[in-house]
Amino acid sequence: MRDDLILGGTKRRLIPQFLNDADEFVYASPAYGYAQVALAYACAERGVRATIFTAKRRNPHPLTLEAKAAGARILMVPYGYLSVVQSRARKYCDEVGARLLPFGLDFDGFINGIAEIAGRIKKSPDEVWSVAGSGTLQRGLQRAWPYAEFHAVQIGKKPDVGSATLYVAPEKFEDPAKLPPPFPSCPQYDAKAWRFMRKHAKEGAFFWNVAK
């Protein structure tokens, strides 16, 4: 799935339908996360505000800069472990009445949306691969293709990947993939699946490339 061809990747496809009940939407993002970019583009498209909380860095990550260029308000959190960033985002939403989107957009409506997109593919794959941050994508794809064999590559904390066989990327979360694929793929995320696919995937395996 070449969602690297979409500005903001896979999440950009689905976020707009969930931007109906507030004027401001907030997300607590790892510096390397693509949801910040997807939300920025989607909110600009819908005419609402996107606010991104992320850990403070001397030099903001290019994805954060892309989100800012797309219109998002960026709030940097000093000493920002993700748990601290999430806590600040929740507090902000409580204070101003903004809508906080969950990490990984891990909620049932979004998972069903992934399943709907996957269900549009004419031929159901027998074997499916993806990287898993929260595991939202994997669980959505499993709803679409219940008889496929699933494989997921963990890049940070252990995700909920449903029935998938789980592999663990050897790189640190913040480091780029050492063996990236020969096509545009997010180096801290999707690209880390390639080494495992080369070793374990069968001919014709399907790879969901979330973003560039």
Side-chain angles (χ1 to χ4, degrees):
M1 176 60 78
R2 291 294 308 278
D3 276 358
D4 55 279
L5 298 174
I6 299 173
L7 283 174
T10 298
K11 291 181 174 66
R12 171 78 183 284
R13 292 173 177 259
L14 294 167
I15 287 178
Q17 64 185 288
F18 301 107
L19 302 181
N20 300 316
D21 57 353
D23 296 322
E24 180 179 6
F25 294 85
V26 177
Y27 188 73
S29 179
Y32 318 95
Y34 242 93
Q36 60 184 322
V37 179
L39 180 62
Y41 283 119
C43 284
E45 189 178 280
R46 295 299 297 269
V48 294
R49 171 180 278 186
T51 299
I52 307 299
F53 280 75
T54 191
K56 186 174 182 180
R57 295 161 57 99
R58 180 177 297 176
N59 298 308
H61 192 274
L63 291 180
T64 303
L65 294 176
E66 184 176 355
K68 183 177 180 180
R73 180 188 181 198
I74 307 298
L75 297 178
M76 298 281 192
V77 179
Y79 312 108
Y81 290 105
L82 184 58
S83 59
V84 176
V85 174
Q86 291 171 327
S87 176
R88 295 289 179 85
R90 283 193 297 271
K91 183 178 179 181
Y92 173 85
C93 289
D94 289 342
E95 291 174 350
V96 306
R99 165 89 180 277
L100 179 64
L101 297 176
F103 177 67
L105 301 176
D106 191 352
F107 58 94
D108 203 58
F110 198 87
I111 294 170
N112 282 333
I114 291 170
E116 182 182 346
I117 290 172
R120 297 173 193 164
I121 297 173
K122 292 181 179 179
K123 183 179 179 181
S124 298
D126 296 322
E127 180 178 331
V128 182
W129 287 76
S130 79
V131 160
S134 64
T136 304
L137 175 63
Q138 271 282 335
R139 283 175 277 131
L141 298 181
Q142 287 168 30
R143 289 186 185 182
W145 302 316
Y147 302 109
E149 177 184 328
F150 282 88
H151 300 265
V153 177
Q154 176 182 336
I155 55 171
K157 292 184 178 180
K158 189 173 181 179
D160 178 2
V161 295
S163 63
T165 298
L166 187 64
Y167 308 81
V168 180
E171 299 93 348
K172 292 181 179 179
F173 174 70
E174 63 271 17
D175 291 341
K178 293 181 180 179
L179 295 174
F183 49 82
S185 188
C186 187
Q188 279 83 21
Y189 279 80
D190 309 290
K192 292 178 180 178
W194 192 247
R195 69 161 67 227
F196 297 97
M197 290 192 70
R198 288 181 60 182
K199 184 175 182 180
H200 301 289
K202 299 172 185 174
E203 185 71 23
F206 185 89
F207 177 53
W208 195 290
N209 193 45
V210 171
K212 67 181 179 180

